[in-house]
Amino acid sequence: MTAPLLVAADVRRSFGATPALDGANLSVRAGEVVAVMGPSGSGKSTLLHCAAGILLPDSGRVTYDGAELTALSDARRSALRRSEFGFVFQFGQLVPELTCLENVALPLRLAGTRRRDAARTALEWLARLGTADVAGKRPGDVSGGQGQRVAVARALVTGPRVLFADEPTGALDSYHGEQVMRLFTESARDSGAAVVLVTHEPRVAAYADREVVVRDGRSVDLERAR
Ligand SMILES: Nc1ncnc2c1ncn2[C@@H]1O[C@H](COP(=O)(O)OP(=O)(O)OP(=O)(O)O)[C@@H](O)[C@H]1O
């Protein structure tokens, strides 16, 4: 079995007097989809944010590809996040002033790709997610399901090695939610990325290879028989 690509070990994090994580663990291998489940307020999002280097834990270690994320400067951690990680959230992640195509092209433009090349790659990703028809529209003029597929295309366009998704289908009905999950997990598996997927919906977690359940800031790993 291959070594995990990303490991969060014994992570603790409080917000003021509220202990959000109290010794949580998470690991994910390349090509593996891990669902982080658990009740509301149990610490799922905090664990994702710590694993992705968005939040620093109070104690514990997060290592990515053998390097300790928690020991990097803010600037190096941000650069690593931009180049290695992709993110899909529930709401409000697309830039409303840009077209859907420009939204998907944005991470490539930020990484220095020329406008025409970025647009071509972005359009390929929109087509793979079945949303090439909304390329010229602004996010406010597309449906919730189309918007989430555009967000997935934007998360995948740079070829990230780890994808983080926090309730990516939370705002969708079950039909569109399933469609987004299928495209999301297929695309991630095709590209060999590792996926950390926070959800409280068993139907969404069913797309994962493994489940980690967080309760009161602590995690339990459950192997899923597939
Ligand atoms: N920025 C913050 N400031 C203060 N408290 C916070 C903050 N973020 C999270 N918390 C608290 O930390 C605990 C864990 O929150 P977290 O969002 O990680 O849970 P969750 O399992 O993702 O919840 P949900 O399923 O409702 O999104 C909760 O008690 C929450 O109120």
Side-chain angles (χ1 to χ4, degrees), residues 108-125:
L108 294 172
R109 295 285 292 145
L110 291 174
T113 307
R114 288 163 49 175
R115 184 181 300 273
R116 188 182 294 185
D117 294 338
R120 196 184 54 236
T121 307
L123 190 58
E124 283 166 13
W125 273 103

Side-chain angles (χ1 to χ4, degrees), residues 14-220:
S14 296
F15 295 99
T18 309
L21 293 178
D22 185 22
N25 298 291
L26 176 74
S27 70
V28 62
R29 296 184 163 77
E32 185 182 40
V33 180
V34 173
V36 180
M37 305 273 296
S40 183
S42 57
K44 303 183 293 297
S45 297
T46 308
L47 181 56
L48 181 144
H49 291 148
C50 286
I54 295 171
L55 264 182
L56 277 181
D58 298 330
S59 67
R61 283 156 67 107
V62 178
T63 47
Y64 167 71
D65 207 6
E68 193 174 339
L69 213 65
T70 29
L72 297 179
S73 67
D74 285 356
R76 289 203 48 207
R77 220 172 35 251
S78 303
L80 186 133
R81 248 192 341 259
R82 265 202 309 278
S83 65
E84 308 284 298
F85 299 167
F87 295 89
V88 185
F89 296 110
Q90 184 173 354
F91 297 117
Q93 51 199 323
L94 298 173
V95 182
E97 294 81 11
L98 300 180
T99 65
C100 289
L101 182 79
E102 288 165 344
N103 265 283
V104 178
L106 187 60
L108 294 172
R109 295 285 292 145
L110 291 174
T113 307
R114 288 163 49 175
R115 184 181 300 273
R116 188 182 294 185
D117 294 338
R120 196 184 54 236
T121 307
L123 190 58
E124 283 166 13
W125 273 103
L126 282 173
R128 281 172 79 167
L129 272 298
T131 48
D133 52 328
V134 303
K137 294 189 175 173
R138 292 187 205 288
D141 298 326
V142 306
S143 72
Q146 286 168 331
Q148 272 316 70
R149 283 188 276 161
V150 172
V152 169
R154 192 179 64 173
L156 288 161
V157 74
T158 51
R161 293 183 69 202
V162 188
L163 274 162
F164 295 92
D166 197 348
E167 302 282 5
T169 62
L172 305 179
D173 62 48
S174 59
Y175 172 77
H176 289 101
E178 299 252 336
Q179 201 179 32
V180 166
M181 274 317 298
R182 195 168 39 74
L183 289 164
F184 176 61
T185 46
E186 274 174 17
S187 308
R189 286 197 170 102
D190 284 353
S191 68
V195 177
V196 178
L197 167 68
V198 166
T199 182
H200 61 265
E201 293 183 59
R203 222 179 31 235
V204 172
Y207 285 88
D209 301 304
R210 196 155 56 80
E211 269 179 38
V212 171
V213 179
V214 182
R215 265 182 221 288
D216 299 329
R218 298 211 180 102
S219 54
V220 181

